[in-house]
Amino acid sequence: MALDENLPFKPVRIALLTVSDTRTLADDSSGDILAMRMAAAGHELAAREISRDDRNEIAAHLHRWIDDENVDCVITTGGTGLTGRDVTPEALDRIKDKDIPGFGEYFRYISMASIGTSTIQSRACAVLARGTYIFALPGSNGAVKDGWDQILVHQLDSRHRPCNFVELMPRLRER
């Protein structure tokens, strides 16, 4: 796949939510990695917050950003594992209109190279909610690097061919 340099780059306004009971903005290394990679790719960090591992709190953050015209998409990090406190996918289930199953499938495929069969413990996923993309990545530094470097940096680039998520944004709220 390649970039069509004849097309204009369209920066995406991305909100970043770290889901954790223990992290703060001061020590959120996976959030820092994503924020730096987004900026390096030319995108705008529209908002950044921390949420406890609580499906109601996660859903409240997401509802607020979905309705914010200054947010084009949301990336979450954390809460995608199998423990009792990992509830990010369940929060997304509460607000979604459509699943984007290929995202989680491809994430697990690429993470095989770094963590082998342990990738089956990841519930990385993506949904569309009221015209806003939401991508849920695991909370480890390696996972956010894999998710950004091998999927999102390409799909959030309007010049990526043969297609990308950005070119669909104007049509996501069609009925």
Side-chain angles (χ1 to χ4, degrees):
M1 305 307 127
L3 292 181
D4 184 343
E5 299 292 343
N6 295 316
L7 295 173
F9 175 78
K10 298 176 184 173
V12 177
R13 298 168 298 189
I14 304 168
L16 175 58
L17 182 66
T18 297
V19 178
S20 175
D21 287 334
T22 59
R23 293 185 192 184
T24 66
L25 288 175
D27 65 4
D28 177 22
S29 59
S30 62
D32 290 341
I33 289 167
L34 280 171
M36 287 186 288
R37 279 169 157 74
M38 285 187 261
H43 299 298
E44 177 187 336
L45 181 61
R48 181 175 176 190
E49 295 181 16
I50 304 275
S51 174
R52 290 179 301 119
D53 287 288
D54 176 275
R55 69 187 75 190
N56 293 327
E57 187 173 321
I58 297 165
H61 282 280
L62 298 175
H63 276 301
R64 190 172 67 251
W65 286 337
I66 290 166
D67 293 333
D68 185 339
E69 65 185 36
N70 294 311
V71 173
D72 297 316
C73 84
V74 177
I75 301 174
T76 71
T77 174
T80 62
L82 298 175
T83 71
R85 298 290 298 153
D86 292 322
V87 295
T88 301
E90 288 76 17
L92 269 61
D93 283 344
R94 290 182 173 191
I95 63 165
K96 72 181 181 184
D97 297 319
K98 295 180 180 182
D99 287 303
I100 307 171
F103 178 82
E105 294 163 356
Y106 190 59
F107 175 83
R108 284 179 283 284
Y109 171 78
I110 62 172
S111 68
M112 281 284 295
S114 53
I115 64 170
T117 60
S118 295
T119 191
I120 64 172
Q121 295 180 29
S122 169
R123 296 186 305 142
C125 58
V127 301
L128 187 62
R130 297 193 309 275
T132 301
Y133 294 115
I134 304 171
F135 306 100
L137 294 170
S140 74
N141 291 350
V144 298
K145 289 174 186 176
D146 285 347
W148 180 265
D149 295 347
Q150 297 190 51
I151 303 172
L152 293 173
V153 72
H154 306 295
Q155 282 298 300
L156 293 178
D157 191 322
S158 56
R159 303 165 299 171
H160 181 77
R161 291 288 160 252
C163 57
N164 60 75
F165 286 132
V166 179
E167 66 192 359
L168 299 176
M169 286 179 174
R171 299 183 54 215
L172 294 177
R173 295 178 191 257
E174 288 178 345
R175 294 278 179 228

